[in-house]
Amino acid sequence: MDVEERQSELQGTGESVHFDILRLFAHGIWSDYKSNASNLLPLAPEQVLKLKQLTVLTLAETNKILPYDQLMLELDVTNVRELEDFLINGCMYAGIVRGKLDQLRRCFEVQFAAGRDLRPGQLGIMIETMSSWLTTSDNLLVQIQDKIKWADKTSEYNKKHQKDFEDKVEDVKKSLTHKAEHMEVFSQHGGVMNFEAHQTRSKSFGIKVIGSGLL
């Protein structure tokens, strides 16, 4: 048996007022009670507090910036001090919402709000919202994977480029070293003869070196 069938059975009986209160706390807000108070059971102070907390949750479902004026109207609060005390002590300390009180802009910035029971007709909207979120998440995951692949390819290219550069530098070093060694050997073995060696060889042959000439 669904809720609507149960409601039809209770309609016009003494139990219907209890069902109406149950439905109010499941889906309603403080202004719903005020507008129909004559047909509902009186609320205890704890119930009033609870319904006002649920009112803040309902407002936070669709708006992350809640103006003070709107909150004071919805909660029957007459001044800002009373409103801020309620938001701090009655809501944030209770853990049902988190946010920032902006006195300059006269608003409550919602950062987190606990969920409420789905109202009749909301299930389809919730399914559609979750399906859209899932599609968006899948697309984002594909984009992230593409970025990872691109980063891997770029990293491999950079590593290869760095290795090629280091290999060329090493080849140049070896070439220069080889040339330097070759020139040293050439210098020591006849390619270039220093002046002292030339004098020694000239004396051994009885040749006298004067200036740049020979005698």
Side-chain angles (χ1 to χ4, degrees):
M1 182 179 297
D2 60 25
V3 176
E4 292 183 357
E5 291 177 353
R6 182 59 176 167
Q7 182 180 2
S8 298
E9 286 188 358
L10 293 175
Q11 193 69 33
T13 68
E15 298 296 327
S16 63
V17 291
H18 298 287
F19 183 83
D20 291 339
I21 287 292
L22 177 61
R23 186 173 58 180
L24 175 69
F25 277 88
H27 312 300
I29 59 176
W30 175 244
S31 60
D32 294 333
Y33 176 78
K34 283 176 52 185
S35 63
N36 199 31
S38 59
N39 298 319
L40 297 171
L41 294 173
L43 298 180
E46 295 82 4
Q47 292 175 312
V48 172
L49 172 62
K50 182 65 175 180
L51 190 54
K52 288 186 175 184
Q53 289 173 329
L54 293 173
T55 299
V56 174
L57 286 182
T58 300
L59 295 174
E61 284 181 356
T62 54
N63 298 287
K64 297 308 177 185
I65 302 295
L66 301 177
Y68 279 3
D69 292 339
Q70 179 188 7
L71 288 170
M72 287 190 290
L73 180 64
E74 292 288 350
L75 300 173
D76 262 348
V77 175
T78 57
N79 58 74
V80 172
R81 177 62 182 274
E82 184 182 355
L83 172 64
E84 291 182 338
D85 286 346
F86 172 73
L87 291 173
I88 294 172
N89 299 319
C91 296
M92 286 192 279
Y93 282 173
I96 62 174
V97 294
R98 288 197 303 268
K100 175 184 177 182
L101 301 175
D102 192 333
Q103 295 180 334
L104 183 62
R105 297 168 56 199
R106 289 176 56 86
C107 66
F108 177 54
E109 298 180 9
V110 180
Q111 298 172 344
F112 162 82
R116 291 194 66 177
D117 294 337
L118 294 177
R119 292 185 289 276
Q122 272 193 317
L123 181 58
I125 298 175
M126 180 63 70
I127 293 175
E128 183 179 346
T129 301
M130 293 302 295
S131 298
S132 177
W133 176 84
L134 182 60
T135 300
T136 302
S137 298
D138 288 340
N139 292 336
L140 181 59
L141 181 59
V142 171
Q143 293 178 14
I144 292 174
Q145 290 173 341
D146 289 341
K147 292 291 185 182
I148 291 174
K149 291 178 181 178
W150 175 84
D152 289 340
K153 289 182 180 179
T154 302
S155 177
E156 288 298 324
Y157 173 79
N158 289 338
K159 288 179 180 178
K160 184 178 182 303
H161 181 72
Q162 179 67 22
K163 186 177 184 306
D164 291 343
F165 175 76
E166 291 174 353
D167 290 344
K168 289 180 179 179
V169 170
E170 190 63 28
D171 290 342
V172 171
K173 287 181 178 179
K174 290 179 179 179
S175 177
L176 292 176
T177 301
H178 177 72
K179 288 181 179 180
E181 292 175 349
H182 180 73
M183 290 178 66
E184 183 179 355
V185 170
F186 180 76
S187 175
Q188 292 176 354
H189 294 85
V192 176
M193 183 180 296
N194 60 42
F195 184 71
E196 292 180 356
H198 180 70
Q199 282 184 321
T200 302
R201 292 186 60 186
S202 299
K203 289 178 180 179
S204 65
F205 286 97
I207 300 172
K208 184 178 180 180
V209 179
I210 300 177
S212 59
L214 297 178
L215 293 179

